[in-house]
Amino acid sequence: MYDSIIIGAGPAGMTAGIYLARGGYKVLIIEKETIGGQIASSPLVENYPGYTEISGAELTSNMFDQVTNLGVDVEVETVLEIKDGKTKKVITEDNTYEAKTVIVATGSKYRTLGIPTEEKYLRKNIHFCVSCDGAFYKDKIVAVIGGGNSAVTNAVYLADISEKVYIIQMMDKLTCEKYLEEQLLSKKNVEIILGSTVTEFVGEDALDGVKIDTNGKERLIEVDGVFEAIGHEAQTDIIKGLLDTNEANYIKDEEAKTNIEGIFVAGDCRVKNIRQVTTATADGTTAAIAAIQFLQKNSWQ
């Protein structure tokens, strides 16, 4: 039996693992997809203390090395359910694990537009991870959908390798930080289209273009690929009916404590105003300390 099972190997989950392992506790991290979570797909991180700049993949790889060097067990499996009791059971597709505490750090997933023909091109010509798929568009034409920090960071990265980059934002201004906007404006091969919504993806076998609506006027933009950066949705299906959530399915908590004793939450899957890698690691710290305090106060004999 584990002292704590952490569900999710993003910055929040791995930070929690580091704190628990350093405290001498037996820890298992279960991750269903990508070690490092969403930040692992970022081509450039410039707001993490200690690094002037670093890729998300390298940053989270460093975290993973630290976690495993401390003796934390890591399994790549899909969690189906958490069962409450004096001890908790975490049920995956292949196994059932038992622990004294559980930390839910499942994060969030990329939001899609949900428009006709989008599904046809997802992960074929429509992508989310520039560091993963950006190289496919060297000397080609791409569109980035969104106007926040992630979208503009992606557009800046693509501008250095692609022939032309369109950034399509539904609002009448970019919502990114000022320094990112300045970087974007310095790129001569970027066209910013504001106040516009994507209405359709067009093409036969491969994507040929994107239809947009700007104040009632339709326009077809010819592109080879699209990167969507329009936010995230909570990945909390495994705790439905068990933990309290808000209307958007983010988990409610009080200093990492959920409505179930011994189950804690950290990172982007919890109700919070700011979702950044630094706030995720802070959440992981808070959840780990809360779990340690719980372990110290309770007996399983």
Side-chain angles (χ1 to χ4, degrees):
M1 181 168 63
Y2 288 93
D3 292 307
S4 190
I5 293 176
I6 301 166
I7 305 173
M14 288 195 286
T15 300
I18 289 167
Y19 270 78
L20 282 156
R22 291 185 73 251
Y25 295 96
K26 186 179 180 182
V27 183
L28 168 66
I29 296 178
I30 304 176
E31 170 58 52
K32 72 172 183 177
E33 291 178 339
T34 304
I35 299 296
Q38 300 287 353
I39 193 65
S41 67
S42 176
L44 185 65
V45 178
E46 297 179 300
N47 58 356
Y48 194 83
Y51 298 95
T52 303
E53 60 179 50
I54 189 172
S55 72
E58 184 179 359
L59 177 62
T60 53
S61 177
N62 292 345
M63 292 180 184
F64 182 71
D65 288 344
Q66 187 174 2
V67 164
T68 52
N69 287 340
L70 285 167
V72 174
D73 292 338
V74 180
E75 297 290 345
V76 178
E77 298 182 36
T78 298
V79 174
L80 303 177
E81 184 183 1
I82 303 169
K83 287 190 175 181
D84 186 29
K86 187 170 180 63
T87 59
K88 318 300 178 186
K89 290 184 178 179
V90 177
I91 301 168
T92 73
E93 290 179 333
D94 304 308
N95 297 289
T96 296
Y97 299 97
E98 192 172 5
K100 300 171 185 175
T101 64
V102 170
I103 297 175
V104 180
T106 48
S108 58
K109 61 183 177 182
Y110 293 111
R111 180 178 290 123
T112 59
L113 294 170
I115 62 175
T117 68
E118 183 179 32
E119 185 68 30
K120 177 180 178 180
Y121 303 108
L122 279 176
R123 294 174 180 84
K124 183 178 181 182
N125 299 103
I126 298 175
H127 313 273
F128 303 95
C129 174
V130 166
S131 60
C132 305
D133 303 315
F136 294 127
Y137 297 96
K138 179 177 173 59
D139 299 324
K140 294 185 178 181
I141 301 172
V142 294
V144 175
I145 301 171
N149 284 354
S150 294
V152 174
T153 299
N154 289 348
V156 169
Y157 177 90
L158 289 164
D160 288 336
I161 63 172
S162 302
E163 176 186 337
K164 170 99 176 181
V165 178
Y166 295 95
I167 186 161
I168 304 167
Q169 161 73 319
M170 67 181 298
M171 300 178 69
D172 60 3
K173 64 178 181 180
L174 298 174
T175 55
C176 63
E177 294 178 55
K178 187 65 177 178
Y179 84 98
L180 285 172
E181 183 176 2
E182 291 171 353
Q183 288 184 33
L184 185 70
L185 294 174
S186 71
K187 304 296 182 181
K188 304 303 182 185
N189 59 338
V190 172
E191 181 177 339
I192 303 170
I193 305 173
L194 301 175
S196 301
T197 56
V198 176
T199 59
E200 187 180 354
F201 296 102
V202 298
E204 294 297 329
D205 294 331
L207 181 69
D208 294 326
V210 177
K211 284 185 180 179
I212 65 171
D213 181 283
T214 307
N215 298 321
K217 294 182 179 180
E218 189 176 82
R219 175 183 174 186
L220 175 63
I221 300 173
E222 294 183 357
V223 297
D224 298 299
V226 169
F227 288 84
E228 296 184 5
I230 55 172
H232 301 84
E233 298 173 344
Q235 295 199 93
T236 53
D237 288 346
I238 63 170
I239 56 82
K240 282 185 177 178
L242 179 66
L243 302 182
D244 291 341
T245 61
N246 68 2
E247 64 281 356
N249 298 318
Y250 288 93
I251 300 169
K252 295 180 180 179
D253 71 290
E254 185 174 341
E255 295 184 351
K257 300 173 185 176
T258 70
N259 59 296
I260 301 291
E261 280 198 348
I263 300 181
F264 306 90
V265 62
D268 286 1
C269 61
R270 62 179 286 266
V271 175
K272 57 193 296 188
N273 293 323
I274 300 171
R275 291 182 170 84
Q276 296 286 316
V277 62
T278 47
T279 63
T281 56
D283 286 350
T285 302
T286 303
I289 291 172
I292 289 169
Q293 291 172 343
F294 180 84
L295 288 164
Q296 290 171 340
K297 290 180 181 178
N298 291 273
S299 171
W300 282 266
Q301 295 180 353

